[in-house]
Amino acid sequence: MQFYDHDQIDVLFDAETLQKRIAELGKQITEDFQGQGELVVIGVLKGSFLFLADLIRQIDLPVSVDFLGLSSYGRSFETSGVVRVTQDLSQPIKGKAVLVVEDIVDTGLTMSYLLSNLATRLPKSVHVATLLHKPSRCQVEVPLDYIGFTIPDKFVIGYGLDYKNLLRNLPFIGVNRGDTPPITL
Ligand code: IMP
């Protein structure tokens, strides 16, 4: 890929490492939800769409998919805790087993808001799968049932995660090296 500055990005998890871990998560989820009927997988937009696409192909169960769009107010790289729903679910989840799929849990504020929001819709159960977790930044404890990788306090990009709404299409997860932006348009 030529459109970004390779020298400014260190690869943290390459495509193969991501797929290997996602296969493990899918196997675990398949075992845990065996015999429970439909599993409603809810992707949190936008960052989770690639993870969700790869994860559901590793889940050997009857899965339905829905999306919830969330965006946090405040500075671009920091969650303010005030979350806005930009796109709501298309179906009720009352009485259903739900698996929320998120790209990264950083402060936990977005997930905390999301879990309270979903609880008001009376699902049978709610579990959470996040590809990445930055525990050092935790402000609110949220129950995370499936964690892909625990990472240090670094701003990560690629595989769904954005830098100024760009670089979501990188096939790996990387870290911006210094103060120089990884992409200029
Ligand atoms: P939280 O509310 O602080 O847990 O943040 C969750 C949201 O912030 C994620 O869904 C991401 O959209 C965004 N975010 C947090 N850390 C990063 C990062 O390192 N790279 C890209 N987006 C991030």
Side-chain angles (χ1 to χ4, degrees):
M1 285 183 156
Q2 303 294 326
F3 68 93
Y4 66 94
D5 187 348
H6 294 239
D7 294 339
Q8 294 307 322
I9 300 180
D10 287 323
V11 177
L12 196 59
F13 304 113
D14 64 17
E16 197 187 334
T17 307
L18 290 171
Q19 293 310 320
K20 191 163 167 274
R21 182 68 186 125
I22 291 167
E24 289 169 1
L25 293 175
K27 188 163 177 278
Q28 186 65 54
I29 291 165
T30 302
E31 281 171 26
D32 294 352
F33 289 88
Q34 202 60 245
Q36 291 195 35
E38 177 189 357
L39 177 63
V40 183
V41 175
I42 297 179
V44 185
L45 295 173
K46 299 177 193 163
S48 72
F49 73 106
L50 289 180
F51 175 41
L52 182 142
D54 286 335
L55 182 65
I56 58 168
R57 282 179 283 182
Q58 301 291 341
I59 298 177
D60 191 8
L61 295 171
V63 151
S64 66
V65 177
D66 211 340
F67 292 97
L68 194 72
L70 291 181
S71 130
S72 65
Y73 292 106
R75 281 177 294 154
S76 49
F77 295 138
E78 239 164 73
T79 312
S80 58
V82 184
V83 179
R84 186 166 55 105
V85 175
T86 56
Q87 185 184 312
D88 203 1
L89 297 178
S90 64
Q91 299 286 329
I93 52 168
K94 190 169 179 188
K96 305 248 168 120
V98 167
L99 179 69
V100 177
V101 175
E102 178 61 299
D103 53 353
I104 183 164
V105 174
D106 185 24
T107 61
L109 291 166
T110 304
M111 186 55 72
S112 169
Y113 169 85
L114 177 59
L115 293 177
S116 329
N117 180 305
L118 293 180
T120 65
R121 305 173 198 225
L122 308 177
K124 180 171 80 177
S125 63
V126 179
H127 292 79
V128 178
T130 185
L131 181 62
L132 304 174
H133 183 214
K134 275 189 213 171
S136 57
R137 299 248 311 156
C138 173
Q139 287 184 33
V140 195
E141 287 286 348
V142 281
L144 302 175
D145 303 281
Y146 306 96
I147 297 173
F149 303 95
T150 297
I151 60 166
D153 182 11
K154 296 241 161 82
F155 191 80
V156 288
I157 45 187
Y159 194 68
L161 291 142
D162 73 306
Y163 172 85
K164 298 189 177 175
N165 219 10
L166 297 171
L167 299 177
R168 294 190 199 271
N169 53 328
L170 297 184
F172 60 86
I173 290 179
V175 180
N176 192 186
R177 252 187 204 162
D179 294 331
T180 313
I183 184 167
T184 40
L185 293 179

